[in-house]
Amino acid sequence: MEFLKRLGIKEKNFGASTGTKWLETADQGELKIHSPATGEYIASVYQASEADYEKVVQTAHDAFLKWRMIPAPKRGEIVRQIGNRLREFKQDLGMLVSYEMGKSLQEGLGEVQEMIDICDFAVGQSRQLYGFTMQSERPLHRMYDQYQPLGVVCTISAFNFPVAVWSWNAMLAAVCGDTNIWKPSSKVPLSAIASQNIIQQVLIDNDVPEGVFALIVGRGATIGEQILNDKRIPLISVTGSTRVGRHAGEVIAKRFGKAILELGGNNAVILTPDADLKITIPAVVFGAVGTAGQRCTSTRRLIIHETIYDKVKATLLKAYKSLKIGNPLDQKNHVGPLIDKGAVKEFTTALERVKKEGGKVIYGGEVLEGEEYKSGSYVVPALVEAENHYEIVQEETFAPILYLMKYNGDIHNAIELQNGVVQGLSSSIFTNNLREAEAFLSPEGSDCGIANVNIGTSGAEIGGAFGGEKETGGGRESGSDSWKAYMRRQTNTINYGTKLPFAQGIKFDI
Ligand code: NAD
């Protein structure tokens, strides 16, 4: 395939790079990557060994010592050029993301657009790494805080965003003066290798120290554990399941490292009697079936006022029946495959469990068969009537299952249901009633990191800080002032007088 060639993907690829150099990784076995869209074999990757990791981390560490002294706007210039390279390769990389991960081509292209957008954002940020100036209580003293580069930052990314999550972290970390190691999901390493190939030319053209942008493909249990335990890595950004994130958080905390944890969600939309159903239904359907329900922000629960429940249910059923399921590279299709057969099993198991708990599957749930679906990863998105307290509803099933539930009375009952799960990533309300919207956004409203009004739960813009509360992990990345996580804050007090007054008026005469 031509686009694979243009992205530098060979039949067999090395799994570790320090920026412009690929390490000859070969003794840890090959990862053979098949497309969930077609079942076709794409290419393989030689996984990195612990010795490869050691070279990568040492190179990244050595690079940090130089990179931190380059003025931030000059680091921003490198990121600007990376953004331009991504513009050139948007179509090809978007295709690969879609082909390797199974999301629709539109979403694959959208993911690369996010990479470009965060580059632009980071370039501007490179001139705005501001600290505050405070007033000292002592005469002839000046006090301020400044932000210093942190060190080597590692991004461990999940399969469902094969490239964007890396850029959210790495581009900001780079302008902040940190060097980067990326450990992508072993389910989608080719998109990561392609990204590394794309940026390579910028690194060569600008003589960027080897190790500023490094990549390592390897097993979670070996390479992953090495990263978590490595004191040379002061910050690790982990995007993945709550199970992996909980473990990572504990290991990193034990060595006093910093962690940005971006974990599972269980996102709800509230529909009040004042919702405008014209915009609600497409937002809910896109939220529930987009990326085949494999977004951390996918809509999983729909909390509907009892007075509009039947109408919403009928409209949703009609919309679900019109969904086209098939190859995500074909733009007429709305729903692509799940990542693999394991995910299909989780989907069918969740439906069995919800039925046992008293839920009713009112649409979908089938595993599709036939030539078009030969990868074995296609399912019909399910609509299920359920109750919030069911065990399975409390969990994140990473698949297209939408649980419909009723609320009665006022908005506070709906908010209680919305908040009544252990996760806290994204939430939204559809209403034209100002009081309901403001209650949802008030201190007694949504407890999630993201709370939207008249917009679905998925599809955040890079300009906002992204992340969630409770078992979603509490991390924030991407926009707003998330950059601060990639730097260490330092308070500086300078005495330009001839006396030595102590703070708090303490007397100490010698
Ligand atoms: P996963 O937890 O299986 O894997 C995530 C990453 O962790 C992978 O790179 C994996 O190789 C790595 N890993 C596994 N074991 C490790 C270990 N012992 N040490 C270090 N690294 C290890 O998740 P997944 O199936 O790839 O992704 C789906 C999950 O990610 C869902 O729960 C989804 O909600 C979550 N997610 C969250 C966000 C967010 O921003 N909150 C975004 C995307 C995905």
Side-chain angles (χ1 to χ4, degrees):
M1 285 180 186
E2 282 308 307
F3 76 95
L4 291 178
K5 272 196 204 139
R6 287 194 295 272
L7 291 168
I9 299 297
K10 306 187 187 91
E11 242 181 272
K12 292 174 185 294
N13 301 274
F14 292 126
S17 161
T18 50
T20 67
K21 295 184 189 122
W22 288 97
L23 274 58
E24 297 196 359
T25 50
D27 62 351
Q28 295 296 305
E30 270 174 273
L31 281 174
K32 294 192 189 285
I33 305 301
H34 292 82
S35 168
T38 60
E40 288 163 305
Y41 173 68
I42 313 177
S44 77
V45 183
Y46 293 117
Q47 299 194 97
S49 65
E50 295 183 18
D52 295 324
Y53 168 76
E54 190 51 39
K55 272 186 217 151
V56 166
V57 73
Q58 198 51 50
T59 311
H61 185 263
D62 293 347
F64 171 67
L65 304 181
K66 299 178 200 149
W67 186 243
R68 65 182 173 178
M69 292 310 293
I70 294 173
K74 293 225 155 51
R75 299 192 293 249
E77 169 56 21
I78 306 299
V79 170
R80 191 185 67 77
Q81 293 179 32
I82 289 176
N84 286 345
R85 287 283 289 175
L86 289 166
R87 283 179 171 87
E88 279 174 44
F89 285 90
K90 177 174 170 183
Q91 188 67 27
D92 287 340
L93 187 58
M95 290 262 293
L96 176 56
V97 167
S98 173
Y99 190 50
E100 186 182 27
M101 185 272 158
K103 60 176 65 178
S104 74
L105 179 58
Q106 278 307 307
E107 291 175 76
L109 294 170
E111 199 174 328
V112 183
Q113 187 58 46
E114 272 191 53
M115 302 172 89
I116 296 167
D117 292 342
I118 197 73
C119 285
D120 288 353
F121 184 94
V123 175
Q125 192 69 63
S126 71
R127 291 181 188 270
Q128 301 178 81
L129 304 174
Y130 299 135
F132 286 119
T133 304
M134 289 75 73
Q135 298 301 314
S136 171
E137 66 192 40
R138 289 170 278 186
L140 305 181
H141 278 56
R142 188 161 73 81
M143 185 160 66
Y144 66 98
D145 59 17
Q146 59 174 341
Y147 287 84
Q148 306 282 16
L150 204 55
V152 182
V153 170
C154 182
T155 302
I156 297 178
S157 57
F159 80 84
N160 64 328
F161 276 89
V163 289
V165 166
W166 164 69
S167 65
W168 289 4
N169 287 281
M171 297 309 141
L172 281 181
V175 300
C176 289
D178 304 325
T179 56
N180 290 277
I181 300 176
W182 179 11
K183 197 212 83 59
S185 160
S186 297
K187 294 180 180 174
V188 289
L190 299 175
S191 298
I193 289 170
S195 302
Q196 189 77 7
N197 285 335
I198 290 171
I199 69 168
Q200 194 165 309
Q201 197 57 46
V202 176
L203 308 182
I204 293 168
D205 291 349
N206 294 276
D207 216 5
V208 172
E210 197 65 19
V212 174
F213 292 100
L215 172 72
I216 189 138
V217 179
R219 295 191 180 87
T222 51
I223 301 298
E225 289 298 325
Q226 259 184 302
I227 293 169
L228 301 183
N229 285 289
D230 198 327
K231 286 192 173 156
R232 288 166 293 184
I233 305 182
L235 172 66
I236 304 180
S237 174
V238 183
T239 298
S241 57
T242 294
R243 183 186 60 80
V244 168
R246 194 188 303 277
H247 167 70
E250 282 170 12
V251 176
I252 298 165
K254 223 176 239 167
R255 63 170 174 90
F256 296 103
K258 293 211 286 177
I260 297 174
L261 299 177
E262 301 282 355
L263 314 176
N266 192 350
N267 318 296
V269 170
I270 297 173
L271 298 190
T272 85
D274 281 313
D276 176 350
L277 291 189
K278 253 198 335 296
I279 61 169
T280 302
I281 299 299
V284 169
V285 177
F286 177 74
V289 310
T291 328
Q294 298 168 109
R295 285 192 184 205
C296 50
T297 52
S298 289
T299 308
R300 310 212 177 273
R301 298 174 297 137
L302 195 55
I303 302 166
I304 311 164
H305 196 266
E306 58 180 0
T307 55
I308 56 167
Y309 185 86
D310 290 339
K311 188 175 175 194
V312 169
K313 179 173 147 183
T315 319
L316 273 177
L317 273 168
K318 200 166 153 221
Y320 266 59
K321 283 178 188 161
S322 73
L323 290 174
K324 295 194 183 68
I325 304 164
N327 191 330
L329 289 161
D330 180 342
Q331 304 222 35
K332 77 169 191 323
N333 291 323
H334 302 104
V335 186
L338 288 168
I339 184 71
D340 53 25
K341 289 186 185 149
V344 171
K345 181 95 187 95
E346 279 176 26
F347 170 78
T348 52
T349 305
L351 292 175
E352 286 310 314
R353 280 180 61 192
V354 76
K355 280 192 265 183
K356 276 199 194 125
E357 289 193 74
K360 197 166 148 204
V361 179
I362 57 170
Y363 185 79
E366 300 84 4
V367 179
L368 291 168
E369 288 172 3
E371 184 54 22
E372 191 180 354
Y373 307 121
K374 66 173 185 281
S375 67
S377 300
Y378 288 88
V379 299
V380 182
L383 283 174
V384 181
E385 292 185 295
E387 290 186 31
N388 204 50
H389 62 84
Y390 292 174
E391 256 181 40
I392 187 68
V393 175
Q394 291 282 314
E395 292 173 19
E396 177 197 52
T397 302
F398 219 50
I401 301 174
L402 182 62
Y403 299 115
L404 311 186
M405 54 194 80
K406 284 182 194 167
Y407 79 95
N408 53 30
D410 75 8
I411 188 63
H412 296 285
N413 295 333
I415 293 172
E416 196 178 322
L417 286 173
Q418 127 75 35
N419 290 345
V421 289
V422 291
Q423 309 83 350
L425 182 51
S426 186
S427 59
S428 84
I429 186 171
F430 280 78
T431 182
N432 284 339
N433 181 322
L434 178 75
R435 287 183 180 150
E436 287 177 338
E438 289 292 336
F440 179 71
L441 300 178
S442 75
E444 57 178 0
S446 165
D447 64 1
C448 291
I450 297 168
N452 296 330
V453 176
N454 293 336
I455 294 177
T457 56
S458 75
E461 295 182 26
I462 61 105
F466 184 88
E469 300 299 326
K470 305 193 296 190
E471 293 196 4
T472 301
R476 291 297 183 277
E477 58 190 11
S478 194
S480 187
D481 65 351
S482 306
W483 62 270
K484 288 182 177 168
Y486 304 90
M487 302 200 81
R488 80 187 146 80
R489 181 196 291 239
Q490 184 176 64
T491 301
N492 306 116
T493 311
I494 299 156
N495 175 4
Y496 61 95
T498 54
K499 300 202 169 101
L500 189 70
F502 289 101
Q504 295 89 41
I506 288 171
K507 298 272 177 258
F508 184 74
D509 296 324
I510 49 172

